[in-house]
Amino acid sequence: MPLEMSNPPTVHKPGSYSHAVLVRDATRRLVISGQVGTAPDGRIAEGGEAQIDQALANLGAILDAHGMTPANLVKMTVFLTDPALIVPWRTKRGAWMGEHRSASTLLIVAGLADPRFLVEVEAEASD
């Protein structure tokens, strides 16, 4: 795979992400819109942790539909409406991604497109 994780020693050591991901000779680039806690039937999951699970399931389904896995992720941007969701997000993301560490940005925001949404995850992937 043409992805090279980069964590230069001249920058602080990252936690569960990479400071940069270099994509070499990519054959495909997949840009994924923000995924929220909405199930395929339109139901919005109850609570932040359930919405994290559903957003990751949606992201996984989109990757799978394009023959990719979380190991293809180059960048994730996460929007949370409650700082209390940071630890659950990191725990669930780690379990879902395994050893892969994409570049990542996490923001705490006042709200999302629907006030029932507590979590939104957008991503880019490549192979």
Side-chain angles (χ1 to χ4, degrees):
M1 184 170 2
L3 303 181
E4 180 182 320
M5 306 311 153
S6 175
N7 295 299
T10 53
V11 180
H12 69 90
K13 184 178 179 186
S16 57
Y17 63 94
S18 293
H19 280 299
V21 178
L22 180 62
V23 180
R24 295 183 185 270
D25 303 320
T27 57
R28 298 184 304 156
R29 178 179 177 221
L30 180 64
V31 178
I32 304 168
S33 294
Q35 297 302 303
V36 295
T38 303
D41 65 4
R43 183 185 52 81
I44 298 173
E46 290 292 327
E49 292 195 39
Q51 287 192 21
I52 291 169
D53 291 337
Q54 186 61 60
L56 289 172
N58 294 345
L59 185 56
I62 292 166
L63 289 167
D64 185 61
H66 293 87
M68 296 182 181
T69 71
N72 293 96
L73 288 173
V74 174
K75 173 76 162 75
M76 296 176 79
T77 303
V78 182
F79 304 88
L80 303 175
T81 61
D82 182 351
L85 292 172
I86 293 173
V87 171
W89 162 254
R90 288 179 175 161
T91 300
K92 290 173 180 288
R93 175 195 59 191
W96 185 75
M97 290 185 71
E99 295 299 314
H100 181 68
R101 299 291 183 252
S102 70
S104 181
T105 299
L106 186 147
L107 301 111
I108 304 300
V109 297
L112 296 166
D114 183 311
R116 296 174 293 173
F117 297 154
L118 306 174
V119 176
E120 186 166 345
V121 183
E122 64 180 30
E124 291 192 37
S126 181
D127 66 1

